[in-house]
Amino acid sequence: MFVTRTLRALVMFAGLLAAQAHAGERTLETRYGPLTLNGEVKRVVTLYEGALDSSVAVGITPVGAVATRGGDGVAGYIQQQVENVAMVATTRETNLEAVIALQPDLILASSTLPEEQYRLLSAVAPTLVPDVEYYQPDTWKNEALAYARALGREARMKRVLAGLDERAEGLQQRVQRQLPEQDRQAVLARWMPQGALMMSTRLFSTSLLAAAGFDVQDGGIVKAGRPHSSPLSLENLSLMDEDWIFMATLNEDGRAAMAAAESSPAFARLSAVARNRVMPVDGQVWTSASGPLAAGVILDDIERILEQAEN
């Protein structure tokens, strides 16, 4: 009986220590200075898709979020996990009154949030703006870790990211076995009603393509510090003609525009078209989202595409 009581007491004590560690004081270096948080946060508003993704990945369901680019709700890949989340922002604008109404105890914002908006939001609740270097292969990981630290769940995020690194390494080995070195060049494009946009090689999704073994190109037309090129005319589509074209669309308008372009001679002349290597992907994930859950979806897509190519 004594042993049983002692074990129970030890379990309870360990649980108490874990809770204290989980809810302890932590200071984060942010773009606008140190941010000190104390205790477990319960009402989180995310004003960036990567912040929403990262929160859900470590077991936190935010009460407010930003709508995905090209949509009026969150991206489809994460909808079921945040069914009751309130939309308080778009990629262009935040509804400050809607944020206030949710009474958040923490706001997770994009690393690009202007200081003027940060001042307004930080008057509502502690606001984290990650201090990360833009357009680097590990930018999204550093953002995810910053959000996880604010939530008191950094260790859990590190495990999630390690699992993704392991998956990417496995896919890289598969690409090296399956595709000759001269057959691995790829581009990511997003088809819009105005035409195709060549996406930067330094984005979240293209860094995953590279980690999975592809040689990612941008046709030399994406300016430094920009996420994508200007729209390509049909006459200039040859600039994106590599071994593989990963073609993203955001919504029905983009899909309709791409369907129209596919019937054009300029599109038909692409070697990737002739080799059946134009791979449709979800633009809400590949060209708008960020974070570990979206990374898992992208790695799933790459694996599926490799299986199709093998067969």
Side-chain angles (χ1 to χ4, degrees):
M1 182 70 71
F2 173 79
V3 173
T4 302
R5 286 199 301 269
T6 301
L7 286 173
R8 286 176 180 169
L10 288 173
V11 169
M12 290 176 64
F13 181 68
L16 178 61
L17 289 178
Q20 289 174 339
H22 178 65
E25 183 175 285
R26 53 215 180 271
T27 299
L28 296 89
E29 294 301 322
T30 80
R31 188 165 298 281
Y32 300 121
L35 175 66
T36 299
L37 299 169
N38 193 8
E40 184 175 3
V41 294
K42 296 181 179 179
R43 297 186 62 80
V44 181
V45 167
T46 55
L47 301 180
Y48 168 55
E49 289 189 76
L52 172 66
D53 184 302
S54 297
S55 298
V56 175
V58 294
I60 299 292
T61 302
V63 295
V66 59
T68 188
R69 190 179 304 276
D72 55 8
V74 300
Y77 81 96
I78 203 170
Q79 280 179 357
Q80 290 185 345
Q81 291 154 289
V82 289
E83 290 180 338
N84 298 318
V85 69
M87 294 295 99
V88 297
T90 67
T91 55
R92 295 182 179 274
E93 184 179 13
T94 298
N95 184 334
L96 187 60
E97 291 183 355
V99 174
I100 293 171
L102 290 175
Q103 298 181 316
D105 49 23
L106 177 65
I107 298 172
L108 301 179
S110 165
S111 58
T112 61
L113 185 78
E115 186 170 5
E116 181 180 357
Q117 293 183 36
Y118 164 76
R119 299 298 174 195
L120 291 172
L121 290 166
S122 60
V124 177
T127 300
L128 172 64
V129 180
D131 187 15
V132 297
E133 189 174 357
Y134 304 141
Y135 300 122
Q136 297 297 318
D138 58 355
T139 296
W140 71 274
K141 293 181 181 178
N142 291 333
E143 285 180 337
L145 285 168
Y147 297 133
R149 289 188 196 106
L151 296 169
R153 302 196 176 188
E154 182 179 8
R156 184 166 174 175
M157 180 61 78
K158 286 182 176 179
R159 292 193 296 271
V160 171
L161 294 177
L164 290 168
D165 286 342
E166 186 176 346
R167 279 201 67 195
E169 184 177 347
L171 286 172
Q172 182 183 97
Q173 293 172 1
R174 181 171 180 174
V175 165
Q176 291 170 350
R177 291 194 306 268
Q178 188 172 330
L179 302 175
E181 186 173 355
Q182 67 274 16
D183 198 24
R184 300 174 192 164
Q185 289 193 327
V187 297
L188 173 62
R190 182 169 75 206
W191 204 286
M192 304 290 284
Q194 313 94 292
L197 307 176
M198 188 85 78
M199 307 305 293
S200 169
T201 61
R202 306 178 77 82
L203 298 180
F204 159 67
S205 51
T206 48
S207 72
L208 286 165
L209 264 179
F214 286 90
D215 180 7
V216 187
Q217 305 292 314
D218 66 4
I221 60 172
V222 181
K223 295 180 181 179
R226 299 292 299 167
H228 54 69
S229 70
S230 298
L232 297 176
S233 65
L234 288 175
E235 291 74 18
N236 289 328
L237 285 185
S238 60
L239 290 172
M240 68 179 189
D241 196 10
E242 298 291 355
D243 301 315
W244 301 81
I245 300 176
F246 292 79
M247 186 67 75
T249 53
L250 285 173
N251 50 33
E252 289 300 328
D253 290 343
R255 285 186 281 274
M258 183 177 169
E262 286 175 338
S263 62
S264 71
F267 194 91
R269 284 194 294 269
L270 298 177
S271 61
V273 173
R275 300 174 70 188
N276 197 29
R277 287 187 171 178
V278 178
M279 300 298 173
V281 294
D282 184 350
Q284 290 186 352
V285 179
W286 281 72
T287 66
S288 183
S290 176
L293 298 181
V297 174
I298 289 172
L299 295 178
D300 287 343
D301 286 344
I302 294 171
E303 185 172 15
R304 170 181 53 79
I305 286 165
L306 290 173
E307 288 173 355
Q308 291 175 357
E310 196 170 33
N311 296 328

